[in-house]
């Protein structure tokens, strides 16, 4: 009969016998591994001090490797791209000629035959023709009160806007591009009805969810062009229009007697240069004074993206390709379109209506700025959106989550303006060179670069390589499996005997 002391001794001997082969295999791996320093941790001919010293050296090396690999991972994960100058410039025929939008400061066309009449507060109010209304109520307050009472709903407002707009034949004396006549189509902005050249047709720009009156946004259909790739290789006519040489000029002759057309406002035209795939933004306008001859030179600021970046998520590369994010009111993504849509959604949520120039559907209520409560709400919403876009209110939980990252491919048209006094009012717009420098978004750290960097760090501090990884697999799996098969084979052989 065994005693308790004997049982404990047997358990200890059994444990030692089970750990013996494992320790032997680990020791053999350390003696033969290509990883630097492992062989100095084993061997009976080395003192505890020597083994401890090498253990410390290996620990420091492993820790340093971990820190450097973590830093490399963060760089790869958070900033995998960079922007640098491309070695290949872009020529004028490879990018669209800018869209040109002309606006006025006037409230409405006093030469229109529209009759102003409405029923405010249950009382009939007949004002008369547009000209009579301008003479009797020649101030913006009347226009806003009238639009508030009568035109807060879509169909009535649409009819009023169309019939009181200043028409192209009234303010355009002549317009040509590449020695051909071109058309300006009406579009809606914060300044009211404006006219645009070289913009996309509303069917190519806006989704089915967006409502635009039939009078607005009619242009030629897109031909041989896309937002991210620009033009295909062809010698045929394309749309949007493009310049063939730097001498291709858009020439616009304007009516110098603008005050005879508009009621209430300044005697100025306003011109904006923008991308054909974006809605004009009245904040980026060039004032055009009467009886001056302008020549505007265009210098585009171009950013293109490598196709390899499509494999990265937008939040890693910090930009969107045109097909990478869904917009409700637009058919493709641009940062400008995203900001307009976000502004519209935020204004509708806070004020219960949307200004006519922001994207909306047919049933959305339009805002009348003459209503004091609505005006203050719109002003507050605009201020919050401006601060949001500039990053001044990042921690406010009530802010709209626009997430409008920059477009991976973008073109911004910068202008240099020359003018002289003249008897006529004329504007010429052209590129200032035949080719332009390009900024290109590229991979800073690709997959190959990341693994090569990690391999270099491991090799420098530990001598680790793919062969070392194979050795670990060999000693942990292959050797153990072979030993197990050998023992099983020996047992079978004894059983047969």
């Amino acid at each position: 009969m065994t005693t308790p002391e004997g049982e404990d001794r047997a358990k200890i001997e059994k444990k030692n016998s089970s750990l013996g082969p494992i320790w032997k295999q680990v020791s053999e791996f350390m003696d033969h591994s290509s990883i630097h320093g492992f062989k100095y941790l084993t061997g009976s001919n080395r003192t505890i001090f020597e083994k401890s010293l090498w253990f410390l050296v290996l620990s420091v090396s492993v820790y340093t490797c971990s820190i450097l690999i973590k830093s490399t991972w963060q760089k790869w994960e958070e900033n995998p791209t960079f922007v640098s100058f491309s070695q290949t410039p872009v020529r004028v025929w490879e990018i669209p000629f800018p869209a040109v939008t002309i606006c006025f400061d006037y409230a409405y066309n006093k030469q229109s035959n529209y009759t102003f009449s409405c029923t405010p507060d249950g009382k009939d109010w007949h004002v008369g023709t547009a000209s009579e209304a301008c003479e009797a109520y020649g101030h913006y307050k009347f226009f806003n009160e009238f639009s508030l009472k009568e035109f807060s709903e879509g169909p009535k407002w649409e009819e009023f806007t169309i019939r009181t707009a200043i028409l192209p034949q009234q303010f355009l004396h002549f317009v040509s591009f590449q020695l051909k006549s071109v058309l300006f189509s009406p579009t809606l902005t914060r300044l009211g009805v404006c006219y645009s050249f070289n913009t996309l047709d509303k069917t190519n720009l806006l989704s089915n969810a967006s409502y635009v009156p039939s009078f607005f946004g009619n242009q030629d259909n897109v031909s041989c062009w896309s937002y991210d790739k620009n033009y295909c290789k062809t010698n045929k006519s394309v749309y949007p229009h493009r310049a063939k040489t730097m001498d291709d000029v858009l020439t616009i002759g304007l009516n110098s007697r603008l005050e005879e057309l508009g009621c209430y406002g300044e005697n100025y035209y306003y011109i904006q240069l923008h991308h054909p795939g974006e809605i004009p933004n009245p904040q980026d306008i060039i004032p055009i004074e009467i009886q001056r001859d302008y020549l505007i030179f265009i210098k585009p600021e171009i950013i293109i993206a490598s196709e390899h970046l499509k494999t990265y998520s937008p939040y890693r590369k910090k930009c969107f390709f045109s097909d990478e994010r869904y917009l409700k009111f637009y058919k493709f993504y641009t940062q400008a379109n995203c900001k307009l849509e976000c502004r519209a959604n935020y204004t509708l949520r806070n004020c219960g209506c949307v200004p006519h120039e922001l994207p909306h559907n047919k049933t959305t209520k339009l805002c009348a700025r003459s209503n004091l409560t609505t005006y203050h709400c719109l002003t507050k919403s605009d201020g919050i959106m401006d601060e949001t876009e500039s990053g001044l209110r990042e921690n406010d939980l009530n802010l709209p989550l626009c997430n409008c990252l920059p477009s991976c491919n973008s073109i911004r048209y910068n202008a240099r303006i020359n003018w002289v006094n003249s008897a006529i009012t004329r504007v010429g717009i052209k590129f200032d060179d035949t080719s332009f420098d390009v900024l290109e978004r590229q991979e800073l750290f690709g997959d190959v670069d990341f693994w090569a960097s990690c391999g270099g760090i491991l090799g420098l501090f530990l001598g680790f390589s793919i062969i070392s990884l194979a050795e670990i697999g060999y000693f942990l799996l292959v050797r153990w499996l072979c030993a197990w098969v050998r023992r099983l084979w020996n047992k079978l052989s004894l059983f047969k005997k």
Side-chain angles (χ1 to χ4, degrees), residues 244-261:
K244 296 178 181 178
T245 70
M246 64 175 291
D247 296 324
D248 287 340
V249 184
L250 174 66
T251 305
I252 307 169
L254 298 169
N255 187 348
S256 297
R257 305 176 70 176
L258 186 59
E259 73 280 358
E260 296 180 359
L261 301 176

Side-chain angles (χ1 to χ4, degrees), residues 431-495:
F431 285 109
D432 73 345
D433 204 344
T434 57
S435 61
F436 306 97
D437 293 330
V438 180
L439 293 174
E440 184 174 7
R441 297 181 192 271
Q442 301 180 35
E443 286 183 313
L444 175 63
F445 252 47
D447 294 345
V448 174
D449 300 311
F450 171 73
W451 290 112
S453 180
C454 291
I457 293 171
L458 290 169
L460 176 65
F461 285 90
L462 296 172
F464 190 89
S465 65
I466 295 296
I467 299 300
S468 305
L469 190 63
E471 288 174 353
I472 294 173
Y474 170 72
F475 279 98
L476 293 183
L477 182 62
V478 177
R479 287 287 297 269
W480 177 85
L481 184 61
C482 289
W484 180 79
V485 170
R486 189 180 300 111
R487 288 195 300 270
L488 181 62
W489 178 261
N490 292 334
K491 289 180 180 180
L492 290 174
S493 299
L494 293 174
F495 179 77

Side-chain angles (χ1 to χ4, degrees), residues 45-83:
N45 58 336
R46 292 187 179 87
T47 64
I48 295 296
F49 174 76
E50 291 177 291
K51 293 179 180 179
S52 301
L53 179 62
W54 277 106
F55 180 80
L56 178 62
V57 170
L58 282 172
S59 299
V60 171
S61 296
V62 170
Y63 176 77
T64 306
C65 278
S66 302
I67 296 299
L68 294 177
I69 290 175
K70 180 182 178 181
S71 175
T72 303
W73 167 265
Q74 290 177 339
K75 187 177 182 180
W76 180 57
E77 182 68 21
E78 297 174 4
N79 297 291
T81 65
F82 73 105
V83 178

